[in-house]
Amino acid sequence: GAGVSQSPSNKVTEKGKDVELRCDPISGHTALYWYRQSLGQGLEFLIYFQGNSAPDKSGLPSDRFSAERTGGSVSTLTIQRTQQEDSAVYLCASSLEGTSGRYEQYFGPGTRLTVT
Amino acid sequence: GNSVTQMEGPVTLSEEAFLTINCTYTATGYPSLFWYVQYPGEGLQLLLKATKADDKGSNKGFEATYRKETTSFHLEKGSVQVSDSAVYFCALKENTGFQKLVFGTGTRLLVSP
């Protein structure tokens, strides 16, 4: 079956511009996670969705970062006024549900963001 | 807070050599522990996991044992192959709350023929 998909796979943007990154989770997965993989910081958690709500936003690095999820499915991560330190690979993962701990997180291929 | 520390790479080995990648963790409570692998050009994949002390996770010839007394989850393989070349991430997940993964920095493994 289809896995987690992310688009675009690569994005180059100029400093100060806004970007939107998209994640399509596995069908039926209610839990969705965003992570960021950067050279200096490794792999960091950004935000967690259960359904359309985000009970854990603790990893968002600044108020320039926001995310939403609609229809319990697609999620969009938006970065406003991008900075060079936002350059990273943004990973999305989904799991059947997020509270019991029984279910594996499946990762997408990531979006590589480069801010010039 | 919770954290994972793993050995820095790259680890360079010849084919059929023995592999150990060290991983230690700091956590409150009793987390689940994972090894993820990222092959070149691909996404993260779960390699193996252990959910309680003394559990051994195993997959594709890789093994790791959850050692509560040393807070460790070292990854081992008896005989590596060129196709094992990848980046390996150790991670933990709290068994309460919202189940986010906390990752180590990753260890690149390079296996030469």
Side-chain angles (χ1 to χ4, degrees):
Chain A
V4 178
S5 61
Q6 294 185 245
S7 60
S9 54
N10 278 287
K11 176 72 176 178
V12 180
T13 190
E14 291 180 354
K15 178 182 171 181
K17 295 282 180 69
D18 297 352
V19 294
E20 285 189 353
L21 312 180
R22 176 187 169 106
C23 171
D24 280 272
I26 293 171
S27 178
H29 280 194
T30 62
L32 186 147
Y33 305 79
W34 283 97
Y35 295 87
R36 179 169 73 172
Q37 185 175 17
S38 56
L39 278 177
Q41 303 295 325
L43 250 166
E44 311 167 277
F45 166 80
L46 297 177
I47 187 169
Y48 157 69
F49 286 92
Q50 182 60 41
N52 290 335
S53 62
D56 190 348
K57 305 178 183 180
S58 62
L60 294 178
S62 76
D63 59 8
R64 295 186 296 104
F65 287 72
S66 63
E68 65 174 11
R69 189 179 184 195
T70 54
S73 180
V74 172
S75 176
T76 304
L77 177 69
T78 301
I79 309 173
Q80 295 180 311
R81 305 181 302 283
T82 52
Q83 303 296 310
Q84 287 187 330
E85 61 262 28
D86 300 334
S87 296
V89 177
Y90 289 82
L91 296 172
C92 177
S94 70
S95 69
L96 204 52
E97 63 90 20
T99 53
S100 72
R102 294 199 301 271
Y103 301 105
E104 177 183 345
Q105 292 182 29
Y106 293 85
F107 283 80
T111 293
R112 181 175 297 278
L113 175 65
T114 303
V115 182
T116 61
Chain B
N2 298 335
S3 66
V4 175
T5 302
Q6 61 181 107
M7 62 191 290
E8 289 199 20
V11 173
T12 304
L13 294 173
S14 298
E15 207 165 23
E16 299 184 1
F18 184 87
L19 169 70
T20 300
I21 301 178
N22 290 336
C23 171
T24 57
Y25 68 90
T26 301
T28 54
Y30 304 97
S32 295
L33 301 174
F34 304 82
W35 278 100
Y36 279 83
V37 59
Q38 188 173 34
Y39 297 103
E42 298 185 17
L44 275 173
Q45 303 172 27
L46 179 64
L47 180 60
L48 54 84
K49 68 179 182 182
T51 58
K52 61 183 187 299
D54 299 326
D55 268 2
K56 179 186 283 189
S58 61
N59 186 24
K60 299 181 180 180
F62 291 88
E63 292 183 341
T65 301
Y66 190 143
R67 300 285 187 202
K68 183 169 175 293
E69 64 276 12
T70 54
T71 61
S72 65
F73 193 55
H74 303 322
L75 182 68
E76 297 182 335
K77 187 175 186 183
S79 177
V80 293
Q81 305 300 310
V82 172
S83 57
D84 294 327
S85 297
V87 181
Y88 292 82
F89 293 89
C90 185
L92 68 80
K93 182 166 69 172
E94 299 171 8
N95 285 325
T96 58
F98 299 122
Q99 312 296 329
K100 66 189 178 191
L101 289 163
V102 176
F103 287 91
T105 52
T107 302
R108 182 175 298 277
L109 171 65
L110 300 169
V111 181
S112 56

